[in-house]
Amino acid sequence: MKIYHHINEFEHQNKSVITTGTFDGVHIGHQKILEKLIETAKIHQGESVLLTFHPHPRLVLQNDRDLKLIQTMDEKIAALEKIGLDHLIIHPFTKAFSQLSSSDFIHSVLIEQLGAKRLVIGYDHQFGKNREGSFAHLKKYASNYQFEVEEISAKDLNEVTVSSTKIRNAILAGEIKQANEYLTRSYELHGKVAHGAKIGRTLGVPTANISEIDRHKILPKEGAYFVKVLHENKSYFGMLNIGFKPTLDQSQKQSIEVHIFDFQGDLYDQSIEVLFLERIRDEKKFPTLEALKKQLSLDKAWCLERID
């Protein structure tokens, strides 16, 4: 997959089969659109192209600094590469770009700059200034600019009954198994291991404190989770806690800590990837450290039962 960081970097050959959108999560609904895009490109001996945007339009148009997304851009790129897309254009989204009318978007962007011969879009896709453009708008201009447009029907997409918003809500509620089903893969989190208070060692469960997480990355509800940790092409099971450690810490500072089963070594300042598999329980305050230690032992046993 070739990646471009501006529309102007893309050199079309008048055989582009294009779709556009933010595609946060690259979930099962997005996958249906992309699979059709790639299939159409192969049938017509063209090349599949996704035009997406960075930063997210809501950050620019609504100044939504609290916006939380399912994926970072790096995670999105990795997911798209696995699908088999030919070209990914990550165009800077600005207020000026948002002012393009739907007709100007079709003429200047899709036709002149991207060389669109075919478009594949979802039934509810909107584009251009104030989201005025639609499938009907594209059909209106198709004969003028000699391109074809194919709509993925509401029936086809509603069969999966999913949206990025629905997945975000599931993650926020701690419904990880449901979110993973919508994504068709495990929700992921990337970060760097930082030094902590090392209290976990005294409880028999040494933990890696995860830091430097993208500030727009959505985080699951506070609690304990069964996870898989990827590091240097190796994978390990473990259990992770997101929360405020009410039994141990009165600072009210949220932390993310993972205890990796059967791991020996030093992870400080190294990057790791965490895949969330299941939610274990809510975070709670225990009356004593001994009670917390007993619960952690039960949590680990619960996880180990689920390892094939």
Side-chain angles (χ1 to χ4, degrees):
M1 181 177 75
K2 295 181 179 178
I3 301 171
Y4 313 84
H5 294 278
H6 196 285
I7 291 172
N8 292 343
E9 295 177 6
F10 180 72
E11 296 182 7
H12 69 79
Q13 297 177 348
N14 293 318
K15 56 180 181 179
S16 302
V17 182
I18 296 171
T19 194
T20 71
T22 54
F23 282 71
D24 183 32
V26 192
H27 57 63
I28 191 169
H30 295 146
Q31 291 167 31
K32 276 183 171 282
I33 295 172
L34 293 168
E35 286 165 5
K36 186 63 178 178
L37 178 79
I38 292 167
E39 176 188 347
T40 302
K42 288 180 178 178
I43 289 172
H44 296 282
Q45 297 182 320
E47 296 185 355
S48 56
V49 181
L50 168 59
L51 170 62
T52 192
F53 308 100
H54 184 76
H56 192 284
R58 277 172 54 187
L59 285 171
V60 176
L61 300 178
Q62 301 173 26
N63 198 27
D64 189 355
R65 298 300 172 186
D66 294 325
L67 176 68
K68 300 298 181 184
L69 300 172
I70 301 165
Q71 291 175 312
T72 65
M73 184 54 72
D74 285 343
E75 291 165 355
K76 183 187 293 186
I77 289 170
L80 292 169
E81 195 153 25
K82 289 178 182 176
I83 287 175
L85 191 68
D86 292 320
H87 303 277
L88 172 62
I89 304 170
I90 308 167
H91 188 71
F93 193 87
T94 63
K95 286 188 176 180
F97 185 83
S98 75
Q99 293 303 301
L100 278 177
S101 67
S102 57
S103 56
D104 283 343
F105 182 83
I106 293 170
H107 173 73
S108 301
V109 177
L110 296 180
I111 303 304
E112 289 195 343
Q113 293 183 285
L114 301 185
K117 284 299 180 184
R118 289 173 178 80
L119 299 171
V120 177
I121 62 170
Y123 74 96
D124 57 350
H125 182 69
Q126 294 175 299
F127 62 95
K129 184 179 180 180
N130 299 323
R131 297 170 62 83
E132 64 188 7
S134 64
F135 175 73
H137 207 95
L138 288 167
K139 288 291 287 185
K140 175 183 175 182
Y141 284 91
S143 58
N144 292 353
Y145 293 113
Q146 298 182 324
F147 67 83
E148 296 179 6
V149 57
E150 182 172 354
E151 180 185 52
I152 308 297
S153 71
K155 178 179 180 296
D156 286 342
L157 289 183
N158 286 343
E159 284 178 357
V160 299
T161 59
V162 68
S163 68
S164 296
T165 298
K166 197 169 185 178
I167 296 171
R168 291 184 201 116
N169 289 337
I171 293 169
L172 288 172
E175 297 168 357
I176 288 299
K177 290 187 73 173
Q178 184 67 76
N180 290 349
E181 184 178 324
Y182 291 148
L183 290 168
T184 71
R185 63 184 183 281
S186 296
Y187 164 81
E188 61 192 314
L189 183 69
H190 292 79
K192 185 173 285 189
V193 177
H195 288 275
K198 300 181 175 63
I199 297 175
R201 295 182 182 182
T202 67
L203 300 173
V205 284
T207 59
N209 292 263
I210 305 175
S211 66
E212 297 187 26
I213 297 166
D214 188 287
R215 68 189 184 94
H216 292 300
K217 176 75 174 180
I218 196 168
L219 295 178
K221 179 182 178 181
E222 286 88 359
Y225 293 86
F226 176 38
V227 299
K228 181 179 284 188
V229 178
L230 307 182
H231 175 253
E232 292 186 345
N233 298 317
K234 292 183 180 180
S235 64
Y236 310 85
F237 288 101
M239 56 187 189
L240 176 145
N241 188 79
I242 297 178
F244 300 90
K245 299 182 292 186
T247 309
L248 302 170
D249 188 358
Q250 303 304 314
S251 69
Q252 294 298 302
K253 183 179 179 181
Q254 188 184 59
S255 65
I256 304 176
E257 299 183 11
V258 59
H259 170 58
I260 307 173
F261 305 155
D262 302 318
F263 178 81
Q264 301 293 327
D266 184 354
L267 287 174
Y268 290 125
D269 296 323
Q270 296 186 48
S271 297
I272 62 173
E273 177 181 358
V274 178
L275 305 180
F276 285 69
L277 305 178
E278 289 191 58
R279 182 177 174 83
I280 304 172
R281 59 173 174 83
D282 289 341
E283 184 178 53
K284 61 178 289 188
K285 184 173 183 176
F286 293 89
T288 64
L289 287 181
E290 191 58 35
L292 171 58
K293 186 175 181 179
K294 183 177 179 180
Q295 182 61 59
L296 292 174
S297 180
L298 292 172
D299 292 345
K300 185 170 183 176
W302 186 93
C303 293
L304 292 175
E305 287 178 0
R306 284 156 176 75
I307 297 176
D308 296 331

